[in-house]
Amino acid sequence: MIAILKTRILHWRKQGFSLICWLLLPLLATTIFITIADKWQEDTKIPVGLVVKDNSIMADTLTKAIEATPLIRVEKWSEDVALVKLEQHELDSVFVIEEGYQESIKDNSRNQLLTAYISDMSLAYTPVKEAIASYAQQDAGSSRAAHIVRQMIQHYNVERNWTWDEIVMTSNQIREDESLLHSSFSFHNQTVPVQEENSISLWNVWGIWSFFSLLTTFFLFDWVIKEKQSSIRIRLSFLKMSFKDYLLRNWIVYLILFMLFDFLNIGILVHYFDQSINIQQVLALISYRITISMAAFLFAQCFRVPFYYVVVVIPITILLSVIGGAFIPIEGLVRNMPWVIHLSPVHTFLEGKLVSSWLILLLVVLFIWYWRKEKVYA
Amino acid sequence: MLKVESLSKNYDSKQVLADVTFQVNPGEVVGLVGENGAGKSTLLNTLATLIPLEKGHIEFNGLRYESDRQKLRQKIGFIPQDIAVWEEFSVEENMVFFEQLSWVRKSREQLRQLCLDMKLDRWKEKTQSLSGGMKRKLNIAISLIHDPDILLLDEPTVGIDLKSRKEIGSYLHDLAKVKGKTIIYTSHDMEEIMTYCDRIYVIGNDPFYKNLLLENGKKVEVL
């Protein structure tokens, strides 16, 4: 094995720069992709105009809630300026927190709390309106609860006389402490990431990484074709090991190299994107690495020309990544067609599972390949 | 000693080798000549254990081709017609690469001396920048790393200049005479064959080669 490592290093020294570039591609491409996508996502947030005519605490809290809404970029203007911007389609819609907002809530009046303006180009008005209305409903709900509590205090002659402000404030405090109206979603076996709601990313870091990693693995395994088809092939039959042993041991050397860079990738990605990772996911990554390296190794043996191999593996990589949920979640698809999860090793990796049908199948194929008798003794 | 008895080989319905029998002693240089497609490469590849033995019997120094293929490969130095070296490697890297995967261990100095014996002195130079003759020498030197007892060469001097051809021919002749190696090689260069070979086998039915050799006073055997 040491001999194989030494001879492989001779090859790597010749391809030093390109090899390092390919090995770092998953890390660099994922970092660049996610950074650009998040920036683009920030730039493409829905521009919503907000006019605040009420100076109350409740209006201020509502403003902050709207500003913290994911995928909305709030611009505060006077009503005149906001409407001009709406006409010029610089804003998707304009919402006005009317004067006396808190008083109306306090009086249990739910009409005319907010005013909304839209244009013929307001594409996202409905979901934004629903989001903002839900905040107002929340305030109205708190107020109504406060009124009922006060009625109960009077009805039961309780000594302590809670004011409306105290009840609403306590209610809000409890809501925040208990996260009654807030839910965080995470993948199975994944620790909930510490992330502010407003900085939510639409992209799955490990999904994007798995795509580039798969692509790199396929590309770097073109050595199998080059060494099988070269004139060297006959000479390699006269080694102290069989040609299949030579290929297999080189595969192991590549596997170890890939794993070293995978661990480097994990460290940097976890740190840079504030991702969490546990031992289960590390093991899933190792399993994924073995699976895709084996797939590339065996698949490359079916080709005689590296160019055709490259042309074929690009669409295969994209397909496996898409159906594996690397780019967009496929939970809906899986609900209707549960067998879809067996079509891509990417899904198994993203789910944090260790054994996939791909791994088992490829191990069987590798075993058959190794023990199959060649027609020619080479 | 190499013993070949009743060797036959068919490719589908076409018979390439028919009941071939001969033997070669240690220290002998044997040439194989014949027209293209006569079966020279098939015979050489069979002797190199690259083609399975279907009919007949071959034995080298007591090792049987039917059962001792792996041991035989340690004794065989096969030089393919195509130059089988890593073009992007230097001469040194090529030698080190194949030494690492060889049955025997050799120091860099020994490897370098092997090249120098063949008058290949561009140790650090990239193979792709070597002349055809130098590449051929490297092609042979790599096959000699594990000190084989028998050398099988498939047109080892094709397409190179006269000086390199004579250097290679002379080196192979010395290998047989001084170190007692068994050497079998194919070539279309009749002058080279006649100069360096102790015995010449003609393969195929074309009388051209046989007549040419007889005209030059050479003893010829037809396989």
Side-chain angles (χ1 to χ4, degrees), chain A residues 3-4 6-7 10-11 13-14 227 230-232 234-241 246 375-378, chain B residues 48-50 52 69 73 76 78 82-86 88-89 93 97-98 100-103 139 142-143:
Chain A
I4 286 289
K6 284 181 180 172
T7 54
L10 281 171
H11 278 294
R13 274 167 53 190
K14 299 292 161 191
E227 290 178 27
S230 70
S231 56
I232 297 280
I234 289 178
R235 200 181 283 294
L236 293 174
S237 304
F238 287 89
L239 308 179
K240 61 185 172 188
M241 66 198 75
Y246 169 81
K375 282 182 184 171
V376 178
Y377 278 173
Chain B
T49 71
L50 292 171
R69 184 163 58 95
R73 285 191 173 182
I76 295 170
F78 181 70
D82 292 329
I83 296 173
V85 299
W86 298 112
E88 66 275 22
F89 284 9
E93 288 165 337
F97 181 95
F98 289 104
Q100 284 291 331
L101 302 173
S102 168
W103 286 283
N139 203 31
I142 291 170
S143 302

Side-chain angles (χ1 to χ4, degrees), chain B residues 126-193:
Chain B
K126 265 197 175 181
T127 307
Q128 59 200 17
S129 64
L130 295 178
S131 66
M134 290 289 182
K135 284 183 188 175
R136 287 276 168 199
K137 287 176 182 176
L138 177 60
N139 203 31
I140 296 171
I142 291 170
S143 302
L144 293 171
I145 289 174
H146 63 287
D147 291 326
D149 292 334
I150 180 169
L151 267 182
L152 305 166
L153 304 97
D154 197 358
E155 302 199 33
T157 57
V158 68
I160 60 172
D161 61 279
L162 186 62
K163 183 173 174 254
S164 297
R165 213 181 315 166
K166 284 195 177 300
E167 284 172 348
I168 290 172
S170 173
Y171 179 77
L172 294 175
H173 191 260
D174 287 351
L175 266 185
K177 300 307 162 198
V178 178
K179 296 189 176 175
K181 309 279 185 194
T182 303
I183 296 178
I184 301 175
Y185 79 95
T186 68
S187 179
H188 285 288
D189 186 334
M190 298 309 287
E191 190 192 328
E192 183 182 297
I193 288 279

Side-chain angles (χ1 to χ4, degrees), chain A residues 333-346:
Chain A
L333 188 66
V334 172
R335 264 197 300 278
N336 295 324
M337 295 179 281
W339 47 267
V340 164
I341 60 168
H342 299 295
L343 295 180
S344 172
V346 174

